[in-house]
Amino acid sequence: MFLKPPPGVINATTAPISRQGTMLIALALLAPFLLYLGTVRSIVSVWNSSETFAHGYVILPISLWLVWRRRENFSLYPPKPWPPALVLLGLLGAGWLAAQLGEVQVVSQYTFVAMFPVAALALFGPRLAGSLTFPLLFLLFAVPFGEIFVGPLIQFTADFTVWAVRATGIPVLRSGTRFELPTGSWSVVEACSGVRYLISSITLGCLYAYLTYRSTARRVLFVGLSVIVPVIANGLRAYMIVMIGHLSGMELATGVDHIIYGWLFFGLVMFVMFWIGSFWREDGATVSTSAPVAVAASIAKAAGTPRRLPAMVAGVLLVCAFWPALALVGERANHNPAPVRLADIAVTAPQTADFADWKPFYMTPDARFHQAYQAGSLPVSLTVLYYRNQNPEKNLISSMNRLSGYEDAWHEVDSAARAETVAGTPVTLHEGILRTPQGALMVWAFKWVGGHYTGSDYVGKLWQAANKAMMRGDDGAAVMLAVPYDNDKERTRAALHRFLADQGAALDQALNATRTH
């Protein structure tokens, strides 16, 4: 429920706080933009480079407008600085620092943006900040998050489309996220995942629910629909486009026009969803008509600058400034100016000609090694991608790094986790099956992070953050073994297992030698 001032206060148009107090609050809320300028730039960079997150530019203006709509609350609840919020602000700062050490950009961005609602809690107090909860938390939608859902959404869209086409009575030959109809071939790629629809729908759905409903149940229900509807709608969109292409002999909906059709369909679905939701709208808010006169008297008495506000502003600035300063010290200590010279990997197996043109879809490393060997009856290729002084554009562990790109000739059709041993260390590595029309590969992939092996991106990030916290640098490498795959998994796995057992020690020695040079 939205609160409005009681009688006698409703005509107040300004908060009961002096100009000096307003300037102090503005200083405390604007300073983080300068203190965390690198994180601000990373957010804006994603807004500029991805249409999926271009809406980020309007989030702050909308949030400020929502606060302005509740401006009477500043009269109803005069700011009362609340020191316990500084503890939470410090925890967010520590989380930001840990994310910086581990190069987890999205966590850095979320912790930075979350500092603003917490700083408002420290400056305004629980009552005033609590009455502005949604406008303050709406800022979190500015963080460009959602790329992690692209893979699952692509898989769902492919599953839904193939099922729907087959249900229509049309034969489909499927390979991963690619499938063929009698009239032509189709592929579900990143642009077809529906992640743009999903993120736009959730953002608009939350805003619509806040402005339209007062009941928590109705708000939750509508937000839930804003999550489910775009996912189903994107599946229907993909099916519709495939059917248009099939029925037109691949003359329609095969180029840019299928994206236009998709946005038109999505816009129609969103319009219908909001139109239906309007039938249960709850306009206006309940206004109290019996507030005690003492409230108005306390508000008048509180006019001016709250006694503890200057000290709280200083506390917010100090807590916010501490973590970037610490990060700067750590960055300088961990930076290794030496160029990467990947040490020779003393593989004892004889070299052979490469058997595939596959290359992993990874950010450009500082050093790269690739060689094929003859290991028994099957050839095995070894690929090592080595990284040092990592940043958002050059990162070992990133959602952008995959065994194959969504539009590559090679595409992953199956994956599993497999327990193996590397140089005496148990590792749960990633096993992927990659295919092209000409053949297939089985790939084992894992990571080496500062002397530790892991197949988990999360564990790898923890090792990276721990190494940097101990001033040991951020060296890391992606290791991939590939073998031609003829649908005999046990024979292929045996070749990979034997190669890893025989050459694991040589690989480990080379990686550690590279780190120390």
Side-chain angles (χ1 to χ4, degrees):
M1 181 180 293
F2 305 139
L3 300 174
K4 290 189 175 181
V9 183
I10 192 104
N11 293 326
T13 57
T14 60
I17 188 170
S18 68
R19 180 175 298 178
Q20 178 188 13
T22 302
M23 293 179 65
L24 286 173
I25 290 174
L27 173 63
L29 294 178
L30 291 175
F33 285 101
L34 293 177
L35 294 171
Y36 297 85
L37 187 58
T39 302
V40 174
R41 286 174 175 167
S42 72
I43 293 174
V44 175
S45 175
V46 178
W47 292 350
N48 290 335
S49 62
S50 174
E51 294 181 2
T52 302
F53 304 108
H55 67 277
Y57 280 107
V58 303
I59 298 299
L60 179 58
I62 291 175
S63 181
L64 292 174
W65 172 70
L66 293 174
V67 171
W68 178 252
R69 291 180 73 249
R70 306 260 66 84
R71 61 190 180 277
E72 297 91 349
N73 290 1
F74 285 85
S75 294
L76 182 61
Y77 306 122
K80 293 183 179 180
W82 196 56
L86 292 178
V87 177
L88 183 55
L89 191 62
L91 291 175
L92 288 174
W96 175 87
L97 178 62
Q100 288 292 108
L101 293 175
E103 291 290 344
V104 188
Q105 182 170 276
V106 69
V107 177
S108 296
Q109 294 168 348
Y110 266 120
T111 51
F112 161 71
V113 175
M115 288 179 184
F116 291 94
V118 175
L121 177 61
L123 297 166
F124 298 155
R127 296 194 70 187
L128 177 55
S131 70
L132 303 172
T133 297
F134 183 85
L136 293 172
L137 293 182
F138 189 73
L139 288 170
L140 295 174
F141 282 108
V143 177
F145 173 74
E147 292 291 343
I148 192 174
F149 301 120
V150 170
L153 286 172
I154 286 177
Q155 190 64 42
F156 173 82
T157 303
D159 292 343
F160 185 95
T161 305
V162 170
W163 170 82
V165 171
R166 285 174 175 167
T168 309
I170 301 172
V172 181
L173 178 62
R174 179 179 180 180
S175 176
T177 58
R178 306 179 187 193
F179 48 93
E180 295 184 11
L181 275 65
T183 52
S185 301
W186 298 86
S187 177
V188 181
V189 295
E190 187 171 0
C192 307
S193 66
V195 69
R196 296 179 186 177
Y197 307 148
L198 178 61
I199 293 174
S200 299
S201 176
I202 293 175
T203 304
L204 290 173
C206 288
L207 182 60
Y208 183 89
Y210 172 74
L211 294 173
T212 307
Y213 307 119
R214 297 196 309 276
S215 164
T216 300
R218 294 188 185 189
R219 287 176 173 174
V220 171
L221 178 61
F222 191 85
V223 172
L225 287 175
S226 72
V227 176
I228 297 172
V229 168
V231 175
I232 302 299
N234 187 61
L236 292 171
R237 175 198 66 85
Y239 167 69
M240 174 189 70
I241 289 172
V242 170
M243 291 303 298
I244 291 175
H246 174 72
L247 296 175
S248 66
M250 301 300 284
E251 293 293 330
L252 299 176
T254 57
V256 177
D257 54 346
H258 86 271
I259 298 178
I260 297 174
Y261 297 162
W263 275 110
L264 291 175
F265 179 72
F266 172 74
L268 177 62
V269 170
M270 291 297 100
F271 173 79
V272 171
M273 187 175 75
F274 292 141
W275 176 69
I276 294 174
S278 68
F279 287 99
W280 292 277
R281 65 184 302 144
E282 299 170 298
D283 290 321
T286 303
V287 180
S288 173
T289 58
S290 58
V293 178
V295 174
S298 66
I299 292 173
K301 183 178 179 181
T305 301
R307 181 171 53 86
R308 294 186 296 177
L309 183 60
M312 182 56 64
V313 169
V316 169
L317 293 177
L318 287 173
V319 172
C320 288
F322 175 74
W323 304 104
L326 200 59
L328 182 60
V329 173
E331 181 180 351
R332 291 177 176 175
N334 282 297
H335 181 76
N336 186 348
V340 176
R341 293 186 176 88
L342 195 58
D344 291 336
I345 304 175
V347 176
T348 57
Q351 296 184 7
T352 188
D354 208 353
F355 51 84
D357 60 355
W358 164 74
K359 290 183 179 179
F361 189 82
Y362 266 61
M363 294 183 179
T364 304
D366 291 278
R368 182 178 186 272
F369 174 88
H370 177 80
Q371 181 60 55
Y373 303 91
Q374 190 65 40
S377 60
L378 289 175
V380 177
S381 71
L382 170 62
T383 301
V384 178
L385 307 177
Y386 198 98
Y387 296 82
R388 176 178 291 168
N389 301 325
Q390 299 180 47
N391 56 58
E393 286 73 41
K394 184 186 66 176
N395 210 330
L396 167 63
I397 302 175
S398 167
S399 60
M400 303 295 292
N401 295 340
R402 298 180 290 272
L403 292 183
S404 62
Y406 295 124
E407 299 184 31
D408 286 355
W410 292 92
H411 58 286
E412 190 170 8
V413 298
D414 192 15
S415 64
R418 183 167 180 82
E420 291 291 334
T421 301
V422 182
T425 303
V427 177
T428 301
L429 49 76
H430 175 84
E431 178 184 274
I433 305 296
L434 306 180
R435 287 191 182 278
T436 65
Q438 291 73 38
L441 296 173
M442 176 180 284
V443 180
W444 282 4
F446 56 94
K447 296 173 178 68
W448 173 89
V449 182
H452 304 276
Y453 292 98
T454 180
S456 167
D457 287 350
Y458 301 105
V459 174
K461 284 295 186 183
L462 290 175
W463 279 121
Q464 182 178 334
N467 284 329
K468 292 182 71 174
M470 292 182 285
M471 309 303 176
R472 296 177 179 175
D474 66 351
D475 284 29
V479 181
M480 281 151 275
L481 303 176
V483 173
Y485 178 62
D486 59 359
N487 295 321
D488 187 344
K489 285 190 175 182
E490 293 310 314
R491 176 170 176 262
T492 311
R493 285 171 177 165
L496 288 167
H497 174 82
R498 184 168 55 253
F499 184 88
L500 193 57
D502 294 342
Q503 314 302 335
L507 173 65
D508 182 69
Q509 184 178 3
L511 292 173
N512 284 292
T514 303
R515 182 189 182 196
T516 56
H517 288 168

